[in-house]
Amino acid sequence: LGSRTETDGLIIYDDVLLIVEVKSGALDTGSPLLDFDNHQKKLIELIENPATQAKKFREHLIENKEVEIFDGNLRSSQVLTRLRAASFRKIFQCTVHVDNLTHLTAKARKLTSLGIHVHTSANWSISLDDLRVYAELFESPLQFLHFLEQRELAENSKLVDLNDELDHLGLYLQKNNYARYADELMEGKNTSRLIWDT
């Protein structure tokens, strides 16, 4: 058998693939100032590790162009189907956390100074509670997928730095392409003092 990678779930809608990793566990309630090393270790476990796991699957699929999907990770596992990378216009990673880390997951890609590495803007870290809110507000899968594309653009923007995951949702519902809105809003202005407060 060739090399295998594991993921918690795959969601396919039209020409979009969503790689899902779910992480249980809770962030310690103590102050990170009193025990930074332990706090950092827990953040790596809850935010970086599932993103890295999803990234491995994504890269494995892209590099191999086509992969078999098994019903488990044992040698006796059966092939369910085959996925072809070329079938997907977009591949997103979704890492779901049982603990409510929304103040950190909204900035997941910007935590490198703390030693937390989320390597792609296509990664969407979200708490289970916030995900339930999204399920209530989006009227169709296509609207949800459009939001993910807009959120990826916002992740790549130097002008969009939000403090809460639901701020992404609020800006999307209000402005749609909120990364472009930020560009237009700050055109020709000093961006060093831009603070988003939705």
Side-chain angles (χ1 to χ4, degrees):
L1 292 175
S3 63
R4 291 188 183 182
T5 58
E6 177 268 335
T7 189
D8 291 335
L10 298 170
I11 299 171
I12 299 171
Y13 189 85
D14 196 30
D15 57 356
V16 176
L17 172 64
L18 196 59
I19 303 164
V20 180
E21 284 294 331
V22 181
K23 193 68 178 172
S24 61
L27 192 62
D28 296 333
T29 56
S31 169
L33 294 174
L34 300 176
D35 190 0
F36 177 77
D37 290 342
N38 188 50
H39 204 75
Q40 180 189 43
K41 182 180 175 185
K42 201 66 174 178
L43 286 175
I44 289 171
E45 178 187 323
L46 294 174
I47 296 175
E48 179 180 326
N49 289 351
T52 300
Q53 185 71 24
K55 179 177 174 277
K56 283 181 184 176
F57 182 89
R58 186 171 187 253
E59 289 177 346
H60 184 74
L61 173 61
I62 292 168
E63 287 170 11
N64 291 279
K65 296 183 174 57
E66 185 173 290
V67 296
E68 292 179 322
I69 304 299
F70 292 84
D71 61 1
N73 59 4
L74 303 174
R75 288 197 173 272
S76 59
S77 298
Q78 301 296 310
V79 176
L80 293 175
T81 189
R82 296 180 75 85
L83 287 184
R84 291 179 59 241
S87 300
F88 303 109
R89 177 182 56 83
K90 294 292 291 185
I91 300 175
F92 292 106
Q93 300 169 195
C94 180
T95 55
V96 181
H97 313 279
V98 175
D99 196 16
N100 193 345
L101 303 173
T102 190
H103 61 293
L104 293 169
T105 56
K107 297 173 173 279
R109 265 189 82 226
K110 298 178 174 85
L111 297 176
T112 53
S113 61
L114 296 177
I116 317 302
H117 302 283
V118 176
H119 305 281
T120 173
S121 59
N123 190 81
W124 180 42
S125 295
I126 188 168
S127 73
L128 187 59
D129 288 341
D130 286 348
L131 192 58
R132 288 183 176 126
V133 172
Y134 281 70
E136 290 292 321
L137 292 177
F138 285 118
E139 297 177 0
S140 75
L142 289 175
Q143 185 186 26
F144 171 68
L145 295 177
H146 184 258
F147 162 75
L148 287 183
E149 291 191 31
Q150 297 306 314
R151 195 190 184 290
E152 182 181 14
L153 290 173
E155 280 289 316
N156 285 322
S157 172
K158 293 179 180 176
L159 298 176
V160 179
D161 187 10
L162 302 177
N163 294 317
D164 189 290
E165 178 57 39
L166 294 180
D167 288 343
H168 282 281
L169 177 61
L171 279 168
Y172 171 75
L173 294 175
Q174 186 177 36
K175 299 296 182 184
N176 199 303
N177 187 338
Y178 55 105
R180 184 176 65 197
Y181 169 70
D183 288 339
E184 292 170 353
L185 185 67
M186 298 309 296
E187 187 175 356
K189 298 177 183 171
N190 178 6
T191 60
S192 62
R193 301 287 298 174
L194 181 64
I195 298 172
W196 290 86
D197 187 11
T198 56

